[in-house]
Amino acid sequence: MTIRSVVSDEHLIQRYKQGDLEAFEALYQKYLPVVYKRVRFVVPERDIEDVTQEVFIGVLKSLQSFRGDSQFSTWLRTLTNYKVAEFYRKRTRKQDPREAPLVEAELLPAEDGLHVEDRVALNKALAELTDKYREVIVLRFADGMSFEEMAQTLGSNLEATKSLFRRALAALRKNLEPNL
Amino acid sequence: MINSNLPLNQDDWLADFADQVMAGRLADMSAAGADDEMQALANVVLRLKNAFPPEELDAATVKRMQRETLTRWRKEQQTAKKSWTNIFHLDWLVAPNGRSQIGWSLTVIALAGLFILILPVLTSGSNNNIIGTAGLQLRGVIPWVIPLAVILVMAWLLRRK
């Protein structure tokens, strides 16, 4: 049995705070797929690894001050969203974001075909959503949460969460319209 | 007649549709009975599912990314540490580029400013001296101490490189 399946996040964080880098590595292996999936939804293909690394560098820097007021997974989700927002802030300063999808489409491997083009369009449309709308879509499609789990995460009830989900999809559809 | 429960039903219908698509039970537009708006939203659900198929990271990729993350973190730590120590070691003053010139210029300006500020103290006071106090003896020494201190500081800074 591996270290990550038997040891709780709290215990690993405690060990990391005492200088055990192996504890961080266990956290990394447990949460990399989670962070990667989330980042993949909202960041262009070529930047996924870079932003994912930024998230874990943020973990290394901030974990010492993590007090455990919330679950580590919740804290990590907030940090991921922050790093994605930071990525878009830096990117907006560097280039015209309207030109980006074309550049990305050229860099992507051709075998993925239509899905790649659609992913670029969806990435862009998701990035243009409000935080609330983007979050509810990412929770369902990237994090794979059920609507009950989403309601709990968002601190809302089931009906309100489903309603938010429908409005978020409507907004996403509107953003996608020029690409339809 | 308008059904007052319609918005809630639409929400439930769309949530159920998304659940079925995500569970792999629906792979196409099986939205019979739904209105145009719902069909369009269902189509967005399918697009999201198809554009981001499940992708498992293989062990080698995880290992490589972990290694790269730790390398980047260590580099960032070293850079952060270096920038602080640079300030205290005054490396910027003797850096082999334009920063060196800026450093020297600032130092010369600061020393000149200091000298101008203390000049009145050095040159005045001969009228209100009380003969026989230690102050009179010190004033004779200060004009020599200042340039000597400047020379010593310069020599120390240059010795560091």
Side-chain angles (χ1 to χ4, degrees):
Chain A
M1 202 174 264
T2 59
I3 185 173
R4 58 198 166 121
S5 60
V6 291
V7 182
S8 71
D9 292 349
E10 289 74 23
H11 184 68
L12 289 171
I13 292 163
Q14 207 53 45
R15 277 176 45 194
Y16 173 73
K17 284 183 176 180
Q18 289 161 0
D20 183 357
L21 199 60
E22 272 185 33
F24 168 78
E25 288 172 2
L27 278 172
Y28 184 91
Q29 283 171 28
K30 181 177 177 182
Y31 283 101
L32 175 67
V34 179
V35 172
Y36 189 90
K37 269 186 199 167
R38 176 165 270 262
V39 172
R40 181 169 165 247
F41 254 77
V42 286
V43 159
E45 191 83 11
R46 62 176 174 174
D47 298 305
I48 297 171
E49 283 199 12
D50 199 44
V51 174
T52 305
Q53 280 187 13
E54 285 292 337
V55 172
F56 282 100
I57 288 169
V59 171
L60 281 162
K61 284 178 181 170
S62 313
L63 206 52
Q64 288 290 350
S65 58
F66 176 74
R67 292 181 303 176
D69 295 339
S70 61
Q71 283 190 339
F72 175 72
S73 56
T74 308
W75 181 79
L76 185 61
R77 195 182 308 124
T78 309
L79 181 66
T80 305
N81 288 348
Y82 175 78
K83 288 294 174 186
V84 169
E86 190 179 65
F87 163 78
Y88 278 105
R89 271 200 303 276
K90 283 181 186 170
R91 182 184 150 123
T92 308
R93 280 201 294 264
K94 276 184 193 167
Q95 67 176 92
D96 182 352
R98 287 167 300 179
E99 290 173 11
L102 287 176
V103 177
E104 283 142 19
E106 284 164 15
L107 288 169
L108 289 166
E111 66 262 29
D112 243 343
L114 271 175
H115 288 168
V116 171
E117 259 180 49
D118 211 26
R119 201 181 304 168
V120 172
L122 283 163
N123 266 158
K124 189 173 177 287
L126 281 163
E128 286 168 1
L129 287 180
T130 62
D131 291 349
K132 215 173 166 184
Y133 283 169
R134 185 169 50 248
E135 187 63 15
V136 76
I137 290 175
V138 171
L139 284 174
R140 184 68 194 94
F141 291 97
D143 297 350
M145 281 189 187
S146 68
F147 280 92
E148 285 82 5
E149 289 169 327
M150 286 158 67
Q152 205 175 354
T153 303
L154 296 168
S156 184
N157 62 44
L158 190 59
E159 285 74 28
T161 304
K162 285 179 178 178
S163 173
L164 180 69
F165 179 71
R166 182 182 53 78
R167 282 180 280 129
L169 282 178
L172 182 65
R173 182 187 163 230
K174 203 176 170 191
N175 288 351
L176 285 165
E177 262 168 13
N179 299 299
L180 283 172
Chain B
M1 191 174 164
I2 298 166
N3 185 349
S4 60
N5 289 328
L6 193 59
L8 185 63
N9 288 339
Q10 283 185 334
D11 295 343
D12 283 339
W13 183 88
L14 195 61
D16 185 53
F17 181 82
D19 281 346
Q20 290 196 51
V21 167
M22 290 301 283
R25 289 195 291 267
L26 277 178
D28 56 19
M29 202 64 189
S30 309
D35 61 23
D36 289 349
E37 171 70 7
M38 282 296 101
Q39 292 228 11
L41 296 185
N43 187 42
V44 176
V45 169
L46 287 170
R47 280 181 73 179
L48 279 164
K49 174 72 165 66
N50 294 332
F52 299 97
E55 185 184 305
E56 293 300 320
L57 291 168
D58 60 90
T61 306
V62 173
K63 206 111 188 131
R64 175 182 56 77
M65 286 181 70
Q66 183 178 316
R67 197 175 51 243
E68 286 174 4
T69 301
L70 288 170
T71 307
R72 263 177 76 173
W73 176 57
R74 286 184 185 118
K75 260 187 195 168
E76 278 190 24
Q77 273 192 319
Q78 280 173 355
T79 312
K81 202 176 165 189
K82 219 175 174 182
S83 62
W84 277 106
T85 52
N86 276 353
I87 292 167
F88 292 117
H89 289 174
L90 296 171
D91 286 351
W92 54 272
L93 210 57
V94 285
N97 52 32
R99 286 171 67 199
S100 168
Q101 289 176 0
I102 296 167
W104 277 111
S105 306
L106 288 173
T107 308
V108 169
I109 290 166
L111 289 173
L114 186 69
F115 189 73
I116 290 165
L117 280 174
I118 63 167
L119 195 62
V121 179
L122 297 176
T123 53
S124 68
S126 56
N127 296 335
N128 55 4
N129 275 345
I130 300 167
I131 295 166
T133 60
L136 183 68
Q137 290 164 2
L138 272 176
R139 280 198 187 95
V141 176
I142 285 170
W144 296 103
V145 168
I146 300 283
L148 191 67
V150 171
I151 291 165
L152 285 173
V153 168
M154 294 290 188
W156 179 74
L157 289 173
L158 289 172
R159 180 188 59 85
R160 291 187 58 79
K161 200 75 181 170

